[in-house]
Every structure is written in structure tokens, then in C-alpha cells.
Amino acid sequence: MRRHAMVCSIQLALLAMSAPVLAQTPAGGQPQQLDTVQVTGSRIPRAQVEGPAPITVVTAEQIQSAGFTSVPDVLRSLSQNGGSTQGQQNTTGAQSTPGAQAVDLRGLGPNHTLVLVNGRRIADFPLPLNGRSNFTDVGNIPLGMIDRVEVLTGSASAVYGSDAMAGVINFILKKSTDGTTIDYRYGDTSRGGGESHKLTLTTGFEKGNFSGIVGVELLDKRPLWGTERGVQDSTLDSPDESRRRPRLTAQLMNWETDENIAPADDCAAMSGLNEGTTVLAEGDYGPYCGSERAIAYRTIENERKGANAYGSFEYRFSDSLSWFADVQLGHQKVKLLTGTNGNDVASDHMGWEFHDPASTDNYRNKIFYNAATGQRELWTRQFTPEEVGGLRNRMNTTTQKTMAVTTGLKGYFADAWNWEAAYNHSEYKADVKMPRIKADAANRLFLGERLGYDDDGYAIYSPDPARLYTPLTTAEFASIAAMSTFKPKAKNDNLSFTIDNSALFTLPAGDVGFAGAVEYGKQSYRINPDPLALTEDAYYGPRYGDGNGDRDHWSAAGELRIPLLSTLDASVAGRYDRYSYGNKDPGKFTYSAGLEWRPIDTLLIRSSYGTGFRAPDMHYLFAGDDYYRTRYATDYYQCRTTEPGITDGDCYRLGDYDGSTFDVYNGNMQLDVETSKSFSAGFVWSPVANFDLAVDYYKIRIENQVQTQDREQLRIDEANCRLGVTDSGASVDINSPTCVDALARVIRDTDGNITSVHFSPINIANEETSGIDVAAHYRLQTASAGNFSFSGNYNWTHRHTRQQFPGDPSEDMLDVSFSATTLPRTKGNLGVSWDKGAWGASLFGNYLGRVANYDNDAWTDSTWRFNAGGRYDINDHLRVSVSVNNLFDKMPPKDATWSNYPYYDTSWFDSIGRSYFVQLTWKLGGSAL
């Protein structure tokens, strides 16, 4: 009798949270003969749960038991997710990709993790991360629709093609239900703010040969503000005394004397602003009007409202032919408010300072000659909640519209060959409204009409200084405010034909399995920016770049699973991919091989090796000029020349050698593909039916990797090359590849001042990581006390290095002194759950190893965060559940060097504190919950 590829509930029950186990009989004897299942990482259906490479499976039940309330929460808990991803408070990420959230397996970058839904690729978030690389947004995947999440770490390019260098995350959505289930969840925080409501409804039907499942998820998540958390509600929370000064509201500087001039009324006119906290303050350059509270006017968590709908349908024409379709629709509105981390810099969305659009001099264009006072002045103004009509009026609003449709035919022939022909279309549209200040209108409001230019080229105005310190009416602010709207769009279309045969032919040790696939796809994106945002002076603040492009892709792949002995299986896969864009046609063949040895029924020893590749990101290739005006760009060469022996860190903090630069970023159509090699080896041991232990070593090496150059590092490199030595005394060769590149990119004028840094994505030499994953699971069944389940997962990273150019020394990304964000060496989790009859409870802990402090000279202590939950079944179709996240209300660890707001590392921590959720689940019809 022919067995269709299917997922069996018995297999899911055997899957630990991060360690799949060998399927055994209750007595711990011979492995059970399970129906075949297609597991992420292979297209060949197979009876064994385990394979040559480790796969982590998280089921819907485990997600709820651990207290996770969003897909990003689930992914952050994975011990393999060791990369630094930008949280909702990250200013740069929130401004460039508002509302989107990424995942970073093995710390190799979000763009090296392939994200699938039901085994299909989905469109990228239509705006590039940090304005540079593309990635998949996991923030809008509906949690309530997930049946399970499968995570394969290591290269899977031989099966899935590009992007799968660090691994694959496959979200399997629900395919069937035997009744109608209604879930309502209410959430709030013990410290206040962030209230949420979520309603999920799933139902199914079967009428003759037509069956399907439909689900809808509605979410209403309110924002959590910085003013609602005592650890970051004012500048007084800074560990650095110099940063505890009030945040600038208004400043008037005499440029010729480098001194601020206090208003005649000592800021009395502004005293009612910022909730009555605006006072006369004293800074490095003298008096100014400021507020200690103004720095906290931003969101810790975004507001998110929206709906997701999902449907999966099948019509069976016969036993050997059926039509299928999966449809996903999403509409989310995400609102957030960002700010800048500086103490006295007006932000782009709630601030202004004079900028002369006719001046190209980065030092002069912020200064004007005041005919009324007879001096050259710099005016800076931060707008307050009272003036803008409330903070919500200045929130960045992103409307996310997603759609994914997969349809096709599948069946079998000759009683052995399964086939599928499918078309998949996915798109991600967004309407991104960014609050901006109209530069010319603001100049006129504060300064009046320009009267010409003086002999030195400075614009002449004749404003009354009292104008700067006079609160604006909401109507006056509205006259200079604007919403700059972008309409980015990304699309992905794929045609595929796959075929498999679990018994292509028979060897003495068993059947040889085969799978093959042919695919054609087209990928495109278009940023569609506000045209005014591309001009230099329509808005105050940064300019934004454009980008658009498309490319074609085709591939052919094949896999074999070969039983060499009764206890030894081998698997091999090969794939060829080719892309076409512009005048480039890069192609790559990748392959993988694996071994599975079962010397005894309870032990699996496994190993895998694979090559991978990644085509360059769309925006890496097609980005137009993007401009970054940097007011405080440190000139490390001038600093270290003037003050021999000073460190780069002291130069940065000193601020005496900061200047304004106008930096330029653009794409690079000459980028080559990245390549990788991945190796893993380990074992799974299950001596009894209720216990399993998995230990796996991994090593991934990426060569020719694409990364965007760091402007700060370019200025440091330029100083090192000119001086021939680093700040620590290490010699530097001015003719090295790093020096040749840095000297060409850091542009200086005839006076020796840096005017611009030109930076681009480039193919750097390599990045390598290796380590060990450990996962265990134990089930204990008792007659009187109930059933217990224990799970534990741990990742220890042995090595993570990168090399910018061939010939350069390798940088240790695990070392405390690593110039970028240091990665944690260890990460893990522990979980325990209990159930007895109508009752159940759980405790889940996330562990994060130590990470570097802000100064990269000491470690921040490792941390634990615990979630707890409980449930009670009122009857077999009605359940109430309670969960508490961050059970012990832990705040971010103290870091005496983290002087910038919010005074802790938002890549790893947040100040949400304890949150709680109450959920009611009601099932109408069907089997018991």
C-alpha cells in the first residue's frame, strides 16, 4: 500500500523543544515504523524523525507553555539564535525598517537566515535593514496560526538555494482542525503600559472531496513609552554624570566665541513645556533651555494593530490527483516614536536647527549672521509634546500589507512517484509615514526672510532671539511639519516542479530514496520614496536614498538517500542556481552529504557537510545614492596627532575633534556571490523511551561575504594608516588593502578637514563560527502526581571571527574588545511543564551569557529571564490559561559605561519588566482540547 508524505501526530509528540528524539516503543525497544514525513532540510519523505543534521522543532503547545506571545519572542529563545538583532528601541533600525523584526541564526546576520512559511519563500521586508541589506520580517507572522516551527542550522543551499547559509526557519501553519476554536488573550504589564488584546479563530470543513482550514487573528497592542519605565524616564538615569544634564530644548550659540547665550527670561517662557520640566541648564558651551524628561519621549514597544487571515484548501479529484492552495493575507498598522541618543542634537522628527540650502560647506551651512545682534549664531530647537499636539501626532506609522498565495496540483503515478507542480506569489507592501520638519518653512518661522550673504559666505538674517525661546502654538508647528510617505514594495514569484520516490530502487540494505526539483523565480523590490526626501534640503535631518531592481532565478536540484548498511545511511544533494540581473549572470553549484549511523537502536551518530552560496542582496546591488549628514563625526587622525597617546575611545568621548560630514552610500553592481562551507557532527542518545540527549558540533565558514563598511571604523582605519600605528601601538602598513581602501574613502578638504566618507557594500574575506549545541528532554509519568516534562538547550560558541580583507588579521567577535557588537559565547534555555487532569503549569527560563559593555573593556554579567504559566480546563472544550513573562521583573543589567539613552544594550535587553497574560480557549465541536 502506498504511503503519502504526511506529518503524524505521534512524531510531533516525540519532538522535544529543541531536540528531536528517536521514536521508540513504550518499553524502549525497537524503533516504531512511522509514516513518512518531509522534514525541513530535505525533500525526501522519510520514516525517521532524525537526520544527518540537527533540526529543532517547536510546537504550538510548547510555544504556549513557554509563555511566548509573538514570533520574535519564540525565535529569541532559541539557543542557536545568537546574533545581535535590533530591538524595537533601536533608533537606526526603527527609522530605516519601522515595525519590522529580524532573526539572526549563529550571529551571521539576518540576511543569512532563510525564512520559509509552509516550505515556501516569502517576500522580503520592502525597506532594507539600516538602509542597506534585505531581510525577512518575522514580526507579522501570525503566532496563533502556527502548528510548529522547524529550525535547521547550517548550510541548506543544496536543497533551498540562496540565503540558507546560517540555516533555515520553516513556519508550518495549521493544515487541519476538527472543530472551531476561539482564543482570546488579554495582556498587560505590572509596571504599566503595553496593554494588548488578541483574538484568534480557526475552523475547518470537509465536504466530500473538498476540505480546508480557515483562520483569522486580530491584534491590538498598545505602545509602551520610555516615560513609563523608571530606568529610562529621564537623563538622570544615565550612569555618566555629564549625560545627566537636561536634554536640549532650545539653544542659541555665538559661533565665534563657542558660547551659548541664555535667554533674557532664563527659560521662563518655556517652563511649562515637556510637562513642566523645562529649565535653564548649564552645558559644555554654557546655558541652554532643557528638560531631563524629554529624552524619554519615545517608544520601548511599538503600537501594533491589525489582522491576519490564513486558509489552506485541498480538492481531491482522485486518489492520485488533488488541487491545493494556501492563502495568507495580512494588514498591520505599526506606530512608533524614535529619538536620537545625543544630549543636545535636534532629532529629525521633532527638532530643527538652521541649515543653509545654498551652502555646501559642512561647517558653515549651520551658521548664519544675525544682523540684529551682530554675531554669527547657531540656533537649535527641540519641539515638545505640548507644541506638536501630543506625541502620537509625531509617531512613525507603517501600514504593512502582506499577501502570499501558493496553488498547484499534486499527486502520484506508477504507485511510487509523488509529484507537485506549484506557483507561489508573495508580496509585501508598506505605506511608511515618517514625520519630518520642512526646512525652508522652519527657517522662515524662526529667522524670517534671508537678507543675503556676508563677505565670508554666511547667510544673513535679522531674527529676534526671543523667537527661539517662545513656545509654538500647535498651528505654528503644523505649518512646518510634514509626513514624508514612502510606498515600498517587494515581490517574489516562483514556479516549481518537485518529484520524489522513497523507493527508487533497492539495495541489500534497503530502499534508495530520491527527490528532484526544478524552479524558476522572479524577485523585485522598489522603495518608492517621497521625492522630496531625495532632495538635500526639503526636510530637516537626513536625506533618504532610493533603490529598485529585479532579477530572474532558475535552479535544478536532486537528492538521494542511500542505505549503505542496515545501520548506516548516507544522503547526498546537489543543486545549481543561476541569477540574471543587469549584465550579470552569476551561477553556483552547491552540494551536501550526510551520514547516519545507528550502532544500536538507542544511539544515532551523525555528520553532515555542505557548501552554500548567497546571491547579493537586492539593495546591495541596486541602491541609489543615500546621504548621511553626520554632525559629530570624530576625526581620529587630528585627535591622535594633536594629543599623542590618546585612545580612539577617548577621542570619541572628548568631542573636541568632531566635525560635520556629508557621507554617501550607494550599491555595488559588481558584487560577487558569497560562498560557505558547513560541517556538523554529533549524536542523539535515547537510552529509554522518555529521555533523549543530543550533542552536535558545528562549524560554518563564509567567504567573500558582503558587508557594508562602517563609517566610524573607516575614519579610525584612516587615522591608523596615516599614523602607521593603532592607538594600542600595533604597527599598520599604509600599503595594506585596508589602508588603500580607507584612504580613498575618507575625503578631506584643502584644510585637512574630513568632508565626506564614501562607503559601500563590499565582498570581504570571510567570517567563521563554530561551537557546540546540547539539547535534552525527559518525560516523567506518575500515577498520582501527574506528568512532567523537562527540556534544556545550550549553545557554546567556540569561535567567531571575521576578516575584512585578505591579509588582514582576524577579529575575534567574541572578545570583549571587538569594535562592533560583541556576540555572547553562551546562550540557552530550560523548561519544565506539568499536567494532571484538568490542571497544568510550566516554567521556562532563557539564559544569555555575558556580553561586552559599552566601552568594550569589561563584561556585562550573564542573565536569566523566567516565564511561568498555568492552565485549568473548565471542561474538555473550555480552557483558561495564565502566563507571566519575566516572572521576577528583571530590568537590564547595570552598565556604568552605557551613557547613551536608554542606558543599556537594546540588542539584548529591554525594560518591559513583568508582563502577564490571561487567555480563554473555547472549542466548538470536535475532540477535546
Side-chain angles (χ1 to χ4, degrees):
M1 178 179 178
R2 181 184 175 277
R3 295 177 299 183
H4 294 274
M6 59 184 295
V7 175
C8 299
S9 60
I10 188 171
Q11 289 175 290
L12 296 182
L14 291 167
L15 293 171
M17 179 146 191
S18 290
V21 303
L22 294 175
Q24 297 180 326
T25 65
Q30 295 297 317
Q32 296 178 16
Q33 295 299 313
L34 302 179
D35 286 342
T36 55
V37 57
Q38 184 168 310
V39 180
T40 298
S42 174
R43 298 182 189 272
I44 303 175
R46 54 185 295 164
Q48 293 87 3
V49 177
E50 285 291 354
I55 296 177
T56 297
V57 178
V58 186
T59 67
E61 293 79 9
Q62 293 163 341
I63 289 172
Q64 183 169 353
S65 175
F68 302 131
T69 58
S70 69
V71 167
D73 285 345
V74 176
L75 300 182
R76 274 193 293 268
S77 74
L78 297 174
S79 57
Q80 303 94 330
N81 185 14
S84 171
T85 54
Q86 297 172 336
Q88 298 182 49
Q89 292 186 84
N90 182 280
T91 300
T92 304
Q95 289 177 341
S96 65
T97 52
Q101 294 176 271
V103 60
D104 184 1
L105 291 178
R106 301 300 189 202
L108 294 171
N111 55 348
H112 292 94
T113 298
L114 175 61
V115 177
L116 306 173
V117 175
N118 290 337
R120 317 284 180 178
R121 289 173 178 263
I122 57 177
D124 290 331
F125 188 76
L127 289 176
L129 186 66
N130 290 337
R132 298 163 195 175
S133 65
N134 301 107
F135 71 103
T136 303
D137 175 22
V138 298
N140 66 352
I141 295 176
L143 185 70
M145 307 294 181
I146 293 174
D147 180 70
R148 68 189 189 277
V149 184
E150 297 179 351
V151 182
L152 170 70
T153 51
S155 176
S157 288
V159 177
Y160 295 108
S162 184
D163 306 338
M165 284 181 156
V168 179
I169 299 178
N170 190 6
F171 294 92
I172 309 297
L173 304 186
K174 295 175 181 178
K175 289 289 187 179
S176 63
T177 182
D178 63 350
T180 298
T181 303
I182 301 172
D183 271 304
Y184 169 72
R185 189 194 72 203
Y186 170 81
D188 210 339
T189 60
S190 61
R191 295 173 181 250
E195 179 182 336
S196 66
H197 303 264
K198 189 182 80 167
L199 178 66
T200 305
L201 184 148
T202 56
T203 189
F205 65 89
E206 186 166 357
K207 295 184 178 180
N209 292 334
F210 189 34
S211 61
I213 180 175
V214 177
V216 177
E217 182 175 274
L218 306 176
L219 178 65
D220 182 358
K221 172 74 172 66
R222 299 178 186 177
L224 177 61
W225 295 90
T227 53
E228 296 179 297
R229 290 296 180 267
V231 298
Q232 62 182 89
D233 63 351
S234 80
T235 57
L236 298 179
D237 297 312
S238 174
D240 185 342
E241 185 176 356
S242 66
R243 294 297 184 99
R244 295 173 191 162
R245 301 166 182 162
R247 175 72 179 271
L248 181 148
T249 302
Q251 171 187 270
L252 193 160
M253 173 184 283
N254 183 333
W255 188 254
E256 295 168 341
T257 63
D258 262 358
E259 294 178 344
N260 291 342
I261 301 172
D265 65 351
D266 290 341
C267 304
M270 308 188 84
S271 62
L273 301 179
N274 295 309
E275 302 171 90
T277 63
T278 305
V279 298
L280 181 67
E282 189 71 22
D284 292 336
Y285 299 100
Y288 64 95
C289 298
S291 163
E292 65 183 39
R293 188 167 177 79
I295 200 167
Y297 292 141
R298 63 191 78 196
T299 48
I300 296 173
E301 281 192 312
N302 305 334
E303 175 181 302
R304 184 181 287 267
K305 297 182 179 181
N308 285 291
Y310 168 69
S312 181
F313 310 97
E314 182 178 9
Y315 184 82
R316 295 171 294 281
F317 297 104
S318 66
D319 288 343
S320 60
L321 179 64
S322 60
W323 166 84
F324 67 92
D326 293 337
V327 181
Q328 297 168 254
L329 299 172
H331 189 282
Q332 305 274 337
K333 181 170 285 189
V334 182
K335 291 188 174 184
L336 56 95
L337 184 60
T338 63
T340 56
N341 287 337
N343 185 51
D344 60 352
V345 180
S347 67
D348 64 318
H349 61 282
M350 288 184 65
W352 165 86
E353 67 182 11
F354 170 70
H355 172 68
D356 182 7
S359 174
T360 58
D361 188 315
N362 286 327
Y363 290 88
R364 294 186 180 189
N365 60 18
K366 297 179 182 297
I367 315 303
F368 67 93
Y369 178 77
N370 190 338
T373 61
Q375 59 195 19
R376 294 191 177 103
E377 296 174 353
L378 184 152
W379 285 23
T380 306
R381 186 69 150 77
Q382 191 79 13
F383 304 116
T384 67
E386 295 83 2
E387 294 172 303
V388 305
L391 293 176
R392 294 185 61 85
N393 194 38
R394 300 302 288 167
M395 295 180 81
N396 186 316
T397 302
T398 301
T399 302
Q400 304 170 349
K401 293 166 282 187
T402 57
M403 179 179 69
V405 178
T406 300
T407 187
L409 298 171
K410 64 181 179 180
Y412 71 91
F413 61 90
D415 202 42
W417 290 91
N418 301 307
W419 63 271
E420 178 189 278
Y423 167 69
N424 168 248
H425 169 80
S426 63
E427 62 181 56
Y428 199 134
K429 297 179 181 179
D431 293 334
V432 183
K433 296 183 178 180
M434 304 178 182
R436 303 298 300 270
I437 299 297
K438 294 182 286 188
D440 183 64
N443 286 349
R444 293 174 183 273
L445 177 65
F446 286 102
L447 306 179
E449 296 295 330
R450 187 174 66 241
L451 304 179
Y453 289 87
D454 66 11
D455 293 340
D456 293 320
Y458 290 96
I460 302 173
Y461 292 88
S462 185
D464 181 356
R467 168 72 275 191
L468 182 66
Y469 300 105
T470 301
L472 301 185
T473 65
T474 54
E476 287 176 321
F477 178 78
S479 71
I480 64 172
M483 279 290 180
S484 178
T485 302
F486 285 47
K487 294 182 176 294
K489 179 179 181 179
K491 293 198 301 182
N492 207 348
D493 290 275
N494 288 281
L495 287 169
S496 65
F497 180 79
T498 59
I499 191 169
D500 70 75
N501 188 331
S502 298
L504 181 65
F505 58 89
T506 302
L507 294 176
D511 294 335
V512 174
F514 166 79
V518 178
E519 299 177 353
Y520 169 78
K522 189 176 188 67
Q523 183 182 14
S524 65
Y525 89 112
R526 183 176 295 275
I527 290 182
N528 292 323
D530 174 358
L532 292 178
L534 302 179
T535 63
E536 184 172 350
D537 292 293
Y539 303 122
Y540 172 72
R543 288 171 62 178
Y544 288 89
D546 198 357
N548 68 87
D550 60 76
R551 62 187 179 193
D552 296 329
H553 163 247
W554 68 267
S555 64
E559 298 177 61
L560 286 173
R561 178 174 171 80
I562 308 168
L564 302 177
L565 301 170
S566 61
T567 60
L568 181 65
D569 289 344
S571 57
V572 293
R575 180 182 176 109
Y576 182 78
D577 291 84
R578 178 171 292 277
Y579 285 81
S580 178
Y581 50 87
N583 61 353
K584 306 280 287 185
D585 295 287
K588 190 68 179 176
F589 175 77
T590 55
Y591 64 90
S592 65
L595 287 174
E596 304 162 60
W597 180 39
R598 292 176 172 82
I600 56 177
D601 292 337
T602 58
L603 178 64
L604 166 65
I605 299 174
R606 62 190 178 188
S607 181
S608 67
Y609 176 83
T611 62
F613 90 105
R614 187 170 197 279
D617 279 328
M618 297 281 281
H619 199 65
Y620 278 153
L621 295 169
F622 298 110
D625 286 348
D626 201 353
Y627 303 93
Y628 296 79
R629 187 179 297 281
T630 305
R631 180 175 178 183
Y632 296 106
T634 303
D635 189 332
Y636 295 94
Y637 173 70
Q638 286 191 1
C639 176
R640 287 165 54 190
T641 300
T642 306
E643 303 188 39
I646 195 172
T647 67
D648 291 332
D650 287 338
C651 286
Y652 178 83
R653 283 185 289 271
L654 190 61
D656 291 349
Y657 300 91
D658 291 348
S660 176
T661 63
F662 197 55
D663 303 332
V664 183
Y665 170 83
N666 50 39
N668 181 2
M669 284 287 288
Q670 302 308 311
L671 289 172
D672 199 359
V673 298
E674 302 175 352
T675 60
S676 71
K677 298 175 182 178
S678 175
F679 171 78
S680 69
F683 67 86
V684 182
W685 180 47
S686 185
V688 295
N690 294 327
F691 172 76
D692 65 85
L693 172 68
V695 179
D696 289 281
Y697 168 82
Y698 66 88
K699 182 177 181 179
I700 304 172
R701 179 180 176 86
I702 299 178
E703 298 181 341
N704 221 28
Q705 186 182 16
V706 178
Q707 286 190 358
T708 299
Q709 295 166 301
D710 183 277
R711 289 176 288 164
E712 197 79 34
Q713 190 61 45
L714 281 170
R715 296 196 301 271
I716 292 173
D717 289 342
E718 189 243 12
N720 293 340
C721 298
R722 287 180 178 273
L723 295 170
V725 64
T726 68
D727 64 340
S728 62
S731 62
V732 177
D733 180 6
I734 195 172
N735 296 313
S736 68
T738 293
C739 286
V740 171
D741 186 71
L743 292 170
R745 292 183 178 278
V746 179
I747 312 300
R748 294 179 179 270
D749 61 19
T750 55
D751 296 327
N753 298 315
I754 298 177
T755 60
S756 181
V757 176
H758 292 238
F759 63 114
S760 298
I762 58 173
N763 288 104
I764 67 172
N766 63 67
E767 184 171 350
E768 183 177 306
T769 185
S770 61
I772 294 175
D773 289 319
V774 180
H777 186 267
Y778 176 62
R779 290 178 181 271
L780 175 64
Q781 297 177 329
T782 68
S784 58
N787 301 322
F788 297 84
S789 178
F790 303 87
S791 66
N793 303 275
Y794 183 76
N795 169 256
W796 176 73
T797 305
H798 169 247
R799 176 183 173 89
H800 198 135
T801 61
R802 75 175 186 183
Q803 182 187 45
Q804 187 173 14
F805 290 100
D808 286 350
S810 292
E811 298 178 278
D812 185 357
M813 298 176 70
L814 301 174
D815 188 80
V816 69
S817 62
F818 179 61
S819 58
T821 300
T822 303
L823 300 176
R825 185 179 293 274
T826 56
K827 198 167 183 281
N829 58 65
L830 289 173
V832 58
S833 62
W834 163 82
D835 70 85
K836 183 182 180 183
W839 295 92
S842 63
L843 182 67
F844 183 85
N846 261 323
Y847 170 77
L848 175 69
R850 62 184 189 176
V851 293
N853 67 357
Y854 184 82
D855 281 354
N856 292 105
D857 60 7
W859 294 104
T860 297
D861 290 339
S862 59
T863 58
W864 279 96
R865 295 289 185 272
F866 288 93
N867 298 344
R871 66 157 177 86
Y872 174 68
D873 292 344
I874 300 171
N875 57 50
D876 60 7
H877 279 65
L878 184 62
R879 172 178 297 167
V880 61
S881 307
V882 177
S883 61
V884 181
N885 290 359
N886 194 353
L887 180 64
F888 301 108
D889 200 23
K890 293 290 188 180
M891 288 289 105
K894 297 290 186 180
D895 183 351
T897 67
W898 205 280
S899 57
N900 280 348
Y901 191 86
Y903 317 123
Y904 56 83
D905 189 346
T906 58
S907 296
W908 306 109
F909 308 109
D910 62 59
S911 62
I912 297 170
R914 183 188 297 114
S915 56
Y916 57 88
F917 302 88
V918 179
Q919 182 167 322
L920 187 67
T921 304
W922 184 25
K923 188 174 182 183
L924 305 175
S927 60
L929 287 168

